C-alpha cells in the first residue's frame, strides 16, 4: 500500500533555486543519458534536484525504469514524492552519477560541499565509473579555492583537526553556523563542518586532509576524471 499524498503534493525544494532555467536545461541533458534498467547516483544541491525533476519527466512520459541512489535526505524525499524508485548504496552499485559543483579548476580539481553534503556524495561518486557534473560557465575557474573548502569533522575532534589543518596550510578555519537553528550546522551523519581557506590547493591535498584522524570527508575532489554537462555558447 502506498502513502497518500495530501492534495496530490509531495516534497518541494525549500529555497529559491538560482539560475533555474539554466539548471533545468542541464538537467534535461543529464536525464537524456539515462537508459532503461540503470542505477543512477544523484548528488546533493539544487542542480541535482532539478536534474532529478527532469529524470522524473522522462519516467512519466517515456516509461523508462531506473533506480536512484540518493546522496542526501532531500533527494530521497524528492524521489519518494516523484515516484522514482530509490535504494541505498549498500543495495546496488550505480552505473553512473550526476551532481553539481561549486568550482571546477582547469587542472581537474573540483570543489563541492557548500550545501553540506560531503560524505555520501563522495562515496557515491567514488563508486561510479562514469561521473558527470552539471555546471554553468561560471563554475569553471583557473584554480579552485576562491570559495572555502568544506571539511566534515567528528565533533570530538574539532580542536585536533583544526590544528592539523593549520599545519597543512589552512589560513582560515571557520566552524559553519546553522541557518535555521542556533549553533553549528550538523551534517546528516551528526558531524560538524569546517570551512577552510588555503592560499594554494596543491595536488595531494585531498589525501592529506582525509588522513587526519577525526576528518570524515572533504569537499575537495582530485583525480576523479569527471565529465561535464554544460550548455553550448
Amino acid at each position: 500500500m502506498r502513502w497518500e499524498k495530501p492534495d496530490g503534493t509531495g516534497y518541494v525544494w525549500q529555497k529559491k533555486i538560482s539560475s533555474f532555467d539554466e539548471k533545468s536545461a542541464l538537467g534535461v541533458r543529464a536525464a537524456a543519458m539515462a537508459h532503461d534498467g540503470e542505477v543512477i547516483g544523484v548528488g546533493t544541491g539544487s542542480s541535482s534536484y532539478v536534474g532529478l525533476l527532469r529524470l522524473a519527466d522522462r519516467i512519466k512520459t517515456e516509461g523508462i525504469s531506473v533506480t536512484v541512489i540518493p546522496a542526501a535526505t532531500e533527494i530521497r524525499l524528492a524521489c519518494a514524492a516523484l515516484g522514482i524508485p530509490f535504494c541505498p548504496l549498500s543495495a546496488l552499485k550505480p552505473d553512473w552519477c550526476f551532481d553539481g559543483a561549486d568550482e571546477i579548476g582547469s587542472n581537474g580539481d573540483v570543489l563541492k560541499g557548500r550545501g553540506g553534503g560531503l560524505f555520501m556524495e563522495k562515496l557515491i561518486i567514488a563508486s561510479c565509473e562514469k561521473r558527470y557534473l552539471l555546471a554553468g560557465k561560471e563554475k569553471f575557474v583557473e584554480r579552485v579555492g576562491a570559495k572555502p573548502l568544506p571539511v566534515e569533522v567528528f565533533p570530538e575532534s574539532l580542536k585536533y583537526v583544526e590544528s592539523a589543518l593549520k599545519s597543512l596550510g589552512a589560513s582560515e578555519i571557520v566552524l559553519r553556523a546553522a541557518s535555521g537553528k542556533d549553533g553549528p550546522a550538523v551534517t546528516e551523519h551528526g558531524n560538524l563542518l569546517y570551512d577552510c581557506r588555503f592560499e594554494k590547493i596543491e595536488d595531494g591535498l585531498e589525501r592529506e586532509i582525509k588522513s587526519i584522524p577525526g576528518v570524515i570527508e572533504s569537499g575537495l575532489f582530485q583525480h576523479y576524471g569527471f565529465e561535464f554537462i554544460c550548455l553550448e555558447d
Side-chain angles (χ1 to χ4, degrees):
M1 179 178 295
R2 295 182 179 275
W3 287 106
E4 181 180 350
K5 297 177 184 177
D7 301 321
T9 61
Y11 175 80
V12 294
W13 198 255
Q14 300 299 305
K15 296 181 179 179
K16 179 179 173 59
I17 298 176
S18 62
S19 306
F20 180 83
D21 290 343
E22 180 183 51
K23 289 178 180 178
S24 185
L26 293 171
V28 167
R29 295 192 176 193
M33 297 164 51
H35 293 89
D36 198 59
E38 284 188 326
V39 179
I40 304 170
V42 178
T44 65
S46 59
S47 292
S48 294
Y49 173 70
V50 175
L52 190 69
L53 294 178
R54 302 292 78 84
L55 183 61
D57 291 341
R58 280 202 64 201
I59 293 171
K60 182 178 180 179
T61 59
E62 301 176 34
I64 66 168
S65 176
V66 299
T67 300
V68 164
I69 297 180
T73 296
E74 64 269 19
I75 300 300
R76 188 162 58 250
L77 289 172
C79 284
L82 295 166
I84 302 175
F86 61 96
C87 71
L89 183 61
S90 57
L92 293 173
K93 184 180 187 298
D95 294 292
W96 58 282
C97 65
F98 67 85
D99 205 342
D102 296 315
E103 291 183 332
I104 300 169
S106 60
N107 63 350
D109 286 357
V110 171
L111 197 151
K112 294 172 45 57
R114 293 299 305 151
L118 279 71
F119 179 63
M120 273 305 301
E121 215 172 44
K122 186 167 285 190
L123 189 57
I124 288 173
I125 287 171
S127 300
C128 297
E129 295 181 6
K130 286 285 187 178
R131 305 149 179 166
Y132 297 94
L133 295 180
L134 284 61
K137 291 186 294 184
E138 75 282 357
K139 299 298 179 71
F140 291 87
V141 297
E142 181 60 30
R143 297 185 67 88
V144 301
K147 295 182 178 180
L149 192 165
V151 179
E152 185 171 351
V153 180
F154 183 68
E156 293 295 324
S157 69
L158 281 177
K159 289 299 183 183
Y160 175 78
V161 171
E162 180 181 7
S163 177
L165 288 170
K166 287 179 179 177
S167 72
L168 291 180
S171 58
E172 179 181 301
I173 303 171
V174 177
L175 183 64
R176 189 181 301 184
S179 59
K181 72 173 188 68
D182 293 334
V186 180
T187 71
E188 292 192 7
H189 302 282
N191 299 308
L192 304 180
L193 293 165
Y194 272 143
D195 288 319
C196 308
R197 297 276 187 184
F198 288 84
E199 295 301 323
K200 190 174 182 181
I201 293 179
E202 301 284 0
D203 190 34
L205 181 61
E206 178 191 4
R207 183 175 60 253
E208 291 180 308
I209 292 174
K210 187 63 183 288
S211 70
I212 300 172
V215 167
I216 306 301
E217 197 48 83
S218 81
L220 178 61
F221 292 74
Q222 295 182 310
H223 308 291
Y224 280 77
F226 287 109
E227 297 182 52
F228 306 110
I229 300 174
C230 308
L231 297 180
E232 297 177 358
D233 295 332

